[in-house]
Amino acid sequence: MNYFSTRNKSLKFSFKDIFLRGLAPGGGLFLPTKIKKYNKEDLNILSHLNYNELASEIIFNFCPNEIKKNELSSLIQKSYNCFKNKEVVNLKKIGDINLLELYHGPTLAFKDIAMQVIGNMYDHLQVAKNKTVNIVVATSGDTGSAAIAALSNRKNINLFVLHPHNKISNIQRKIMTTIGGANIFNMAIEGSFDDCQKIVKELFNEDSFRARINMSGVNSINWARIVCQIVYYFYSFFKLKKKNISFSVPTGNFGDIYAGYVAKKMGLPINKLIVATNKNDILQRVINTGEYKPDTVKPTITPSMDIQVASNFERLLYYILDENDTKVGSLMNDLSSKNLFNLEKKEIDKIKEDFKAAKVTDEETLNIINEMYKEHKFIIDPHTATGVGAAKSFKNLGDIVVLGTAHPYKFSDTIKKAIGKNLDSPEHLKLNIDKKETFDIINNSSLEVKKYILSKI
Ligand SMILES: *Cc1c(COP(=O)(O)O)cnc(C)c1O
C-alpha cells in the first residue's frame, strides 16, 4: 500500500511517511494508490459490526503494512474509551432530521473521533522513539483542543497550536488553553485561520526547518484524519437502513465531507454529499459556478467554518481532473499566483454528480437553532444548524443524515442569543473554568512563529 502526491504521482510514500509528514513535498496532498472497494456482500457483513469493529475493518485498508489488525483493534478500543457513548457516535431522529451526533468525545467536537486515534498512532508507529517530534497545527477552534486532548503529556512529543487571536469562541479557547500539559504550546496569531494555515504550510515546505525540529502535522490535510472519519458514514448508513441516503456536512476545510466522498468510492451507495457553508462560501461557489476564488475571511457565528482556502478540495480536484497530477499542480499554481482558478463545464458536472452545496447565513442559522428548540426541545450548535439549513434546501433528495459536528455548549454565547437560555456544561467535559489560561500572542508572521518554536524546544 503506497501513497503519492496530488501534484506528483511518481513520488511514493508509506503510511508512516505520510502520517508523519502531513503535507507532500512541493505542497501537494497525499492520496493512496489503491482504495478498497466493497461489494454488496462485503457491505452486508460490515453492517453487522459495532462501531469499533467497523473502524478497525475500514482503517486497516489504509495501513496494512504498518499496523497489525489485532493491534489496530486494541488501539481503536483504547482511543474511544473516553467517549460518552459506547458506540462513539449517536444517530437520532429529530422531527424529519436524521442527526448524527459526532460530539461525544473529550472536547465536544467531531475532531476528537480522528484525533484520539491519531494520538495513539504516534505512539504505536514509534515515530518519536529516537528524536522528539514537534507537531505544528493550525486551528479554527476545534482541531486545537482535540489535538491537545489526544497528545497532552505524550512522551517525546511537543504540540504547537496556532489559533486566530480573538476569532474563536470563549469556550473553544478556554478548553484549548487549560487542558494541556507541559508539552503543549498555544499561540494566538494576530490574523485569520487562513493566515494560521498558511504559516503552517510554509513551515512544512521549508525542508531545513522541518528536518531541524522533526516536524509533524495533524491538520485535516493529514490523511489519517480523513480515514478515521470515513467510518461514521458507513456506520450511520447501516443504522438508518434506508436505500437512498444523502449526507449534509457543515464544511470548512473540506476534510469531513471528503471522508464521505471516499466512503462512496469504497462502495457505500451514498446519494449526494451536501456541502453546508456559512458566508465564507467559496465551496458553494466553486461547486455551483466552477470559480475557486478565495475572498477575505468574514467572521461568523460558525468560526470553525470561517475558512476560504479549503485545503482538502485539492484531493477532490485530483479525481475530477481524471487523476492528472500535472493539471492539479498547474491549477494550484494559478491559485497562488492569481488567487483563483476556473474549472471547465465537464469538471463542474462531474463534481455535481456527487455534491450539492448551500450557503446558510448567520441569521438563518440563529433561526434554525430557535425553531429546532421550539419544535423539538432539542438544542443544536450553530455549525450543525448550517447542516440542517442546507438539508432543508434539498428536501427532494430523500433521506438526509446531518452531521452534528459540535456540542452546543461550545458555542453557549450564540445559543443564548438564539434561544435565550444558558447551557450547562456536559458532565464528561473535564473543564476547570477557573484555571488560568496559557497562550502567547504572536505576530502574523512565519518568522515569528519559527522563532517561538525554536525558543521552546
Ligand atoms: C472543523 C469543523 C467543521 C469543518 O470541518 P472540515 O473538515 O474542516 O470541513 C465544521 N464544524 C465544526 C464544529 C468543526 O469543528
Side-chain angles (χ1 to χ4, degrees):
M1 175 72 170
N2 274 319
Y3 288 83
F4 61 90
S5 159
T6 47
R7 299 186 203 176
N8 187 348
K9 278 202 264 196
S10 64
L11 299 176
K12 291 278 181 286
F13 302 87
S14 69
F15 178 77
K16 190 169 167 178
D17 290 336
I18 67 143
F19 178 80
L20 194 58
R21 289 187 71 115
L23 198 65
L29 301 187
F30 294 114
L31 280 174
T33 46
K34 220 178 112 222
I35 292 178
K36 162 94 182 172
K37 182 135 191 199
Y38 293 115
N39 63 27
K40 255 189 154 155
E41 261 166 65
D42 299 331
L43 291 174
N44 185 35
I45 295 170
L46 292 179
S47 72
H48 294 98
L49 303 180
N50 69 28
Y51 192 92
N52 284 350
E53 289 164 347
L54 185 63
S56 308
E57 284 300 322
I58 288 172
I59 297 171
F60 183 68
N61 292 309
F62 297 95
C63 51
N65 308 325
E66 279 85 359
I67 312 180
K68 293 194 190 86
K69 187 90 154 266
N70 63 336
E71 290 171 350
L72 183 62
S73 298
S74 35
L75 188 152
I76 285 165
Q77 200 97 34
K78 188 162 97 187
S79 304
Y80 294 143
N81 253 339
C82 58
F83 277 60
K84 196 183 116 201
N85 266 47
K86 203 171 101 283
E87 285 289 87
V88 185
V89 303
N90 198 5
L91 184 67
K92 271 189 189 151
K93 185 103 189 162
I94 298 160
D96 54 1
I97 298 283
N98 301 291
L99 176 68
L100 181 62
E101 297 177 343
L102 301 173
Y103 46 74
H104 297 303
T107 72
L108 311 182
F110 82 89
K111 291 178 172 96
D112 287 321
I113 294 178
M115 213 62 89
Q116 285 294 321
V117 173
I118 285 182
N120 287 317
M121 276 187 179
Y122 270 102
D123 285 350
H124 188 86
L125 297 172
Q126 299 198 327
V127 287
K129 194 175 166 200
N130 301 319
K131 192 175 171 199
T132 298
V133 169
N134 288 291
I135 300 169
V136 184
V137 66
T139 182
S140 53
D142 288 334
T143 294
S145 40
I148 294 168
L151 294 162
S152 187
N153 296 322
R154 274 187 204 267
K155 210 172 144 220
N156 285 351
I157 287 180
N158 292 321
L159 173 64
F160 294 88
V161 181
L162 288 70
H163 74 264
H165 189 38
N166 288 332
K167 293 195 177 74
I168 62 176
S169 86
N170 286 332
I171 306 264
Q172 280 182 311
R173 194 196 61 246
K174 191 100 206 173
I175 296 177
M176 209 153 61
T177 58
T178 57
I179 62 172
N183 66 332
I184 307 294
F185 302 94
N186 279 293
M187 293 184 251
I189 304 293
E190 296 192 289
S192 66
F193 167 75
D194 283 355
D195 295 323
C196 297
Q197 180 160 255
K198 191 162 160 239
I199 292 173
V200 172
K201 281 188 182 173
E202 270 172 38
L203 301 196
F204 268 102
N205 279 327
E206 217 176 288
D207 286 336
S208 58
F209 185 76
R210 205 189 61 241
R212 179 169 173 194
I213 69 163
N214 202 18
M215 182 167 159
S216 181
V218 293
N219 263 114
S220 72
I221 48 177
N222 190 317
W223 178 253
R225 275 184 64 181
I226 306 232
V227 165
C228 297
Q229 291 166 192
I230 296 169
V231 179
Y232 46 72
Y233 284 91
F234 278 86
Y235 184 82
S236 56
F237 195 102
F238 296 145
K239 273 267 144 160
L240 198 55
K241 293 196 170 71
K242 291 274 171 61
K243 285 234 149 51
N244 194 26
I245 302 176
S246 299
F247 286 86
S248 178
V249 187
T251 295
N253 226 348
F254 206 71
D256 206 8
I257 197 160
Y258 192 78
Y261 178 76
V262 181
K264 196 170 176 181
K265 272 197 175 308
M266 294 177 83
L268 190 69
I270 295 173
N271 182 12
K272 298 284 185 208
L273 295 157
I274 304 168
V275 176
T277 74
N278 60 25
K279 264 194 304 209
N280 299 287
D281 61 346
I282 181 164
L283 286 167
Q284 187 268 126
R285 281 182 284 123
V286 69
I287 289 169
N288 291 322
T289 72
E291 184 184 66
Y292 188 95
K293 186 178 179 199
D295 203 343
T296 49
V297 179
K298 302 175 206 84
T300 69
I301 56 172
T302 43
S304 299
M305 295 157 61
D306 289 348
I307 293 175
Q308 287 281 343
V309 182
S311 296
N312 282 296
F313 191 70
E314 182 171 340
R315 287 192 160 113
L316 176 65
L317 269 186
Y318 176 79
Y319 292 109
I320 297 304
L321 300 173
D322 296 324
E323 312 192 10
N324 183 335
D325 52 346
T326 316
K327 208 158 169 202
V328 174
S330 126
L331 288 189
M332 288 300 144
N333 279 339
D334 285 353
L335 182 62
S336 58
S337 61
K338 301 184 215 148
N339 197 41
L340 90 168
F341 62 78
N342 276 291
L343 297 176
E344 291 168 27
K345 170 135 190 339
K346 69 169 200 289
E347 294 155 358
I348 304 170
D349 289 345
K350 212 162 157 187
I351 295 179
K352 284 182 176 167
E353 284 170 20
D354 295 314
F355 292 91
K356 299 254 180 209
K359 166 167 83 171
V360 183
T361 65
D362 279 2
E363 200 190 340
E364 290 166 326
T365 300
L366 288 171
N367 284 338
I368 291 162
I369 298 171
N370 185 274
E371 272 169 28
M372 196 78 158
Y373 182 63
K374 268 212 228 120
E375 286 171 24
H376 308 291
K377 288 279 164 281
F378 192 83
I379 302 174
I380 52 174
D381 102 288
H383 302 79
T384 305
T386 66
V388 171
K392 285 192 170 155
S393 5
F394 297 108
K395 278 211 156 119
N396 57 338
L397 282 181
D399 285 284
I400 299 179
V401 174
V402 176
L403 301 201
T405 49
H407 191 287
Y409 179 70
K410 269 192 129 162
F411 303 92
S412 300
D413 297 351
T414 301
I415 301 300
K416 174 103 202 238
K417 217 164 134 189
I419 64 171
K421 254 177 89 101
N422 284 317
L423 296 183
D424 292 330
S425 164
E427 261 168 45
H428 69 292
L429 178 68
K430 297 183 184 71
L431 186 62
N432 180 354
I433 277 291
D434 300 322
K435 197 169 162 202
K436 188 176 167 300
E437 294 185 39
T438 45
F439 64 95
D440 293 298
I441 300 166
I442 317 272
N443 283 344
N444 178 9
S445 134
S446 56
L447 202 65
E448 293 293 318
V449 169
K450 278 196 285 190
K451 266 201 239 159
Y452 178 88
I453 294 173
L454 291 174
S455 76
K456 297 292 179 190
I457 64 179

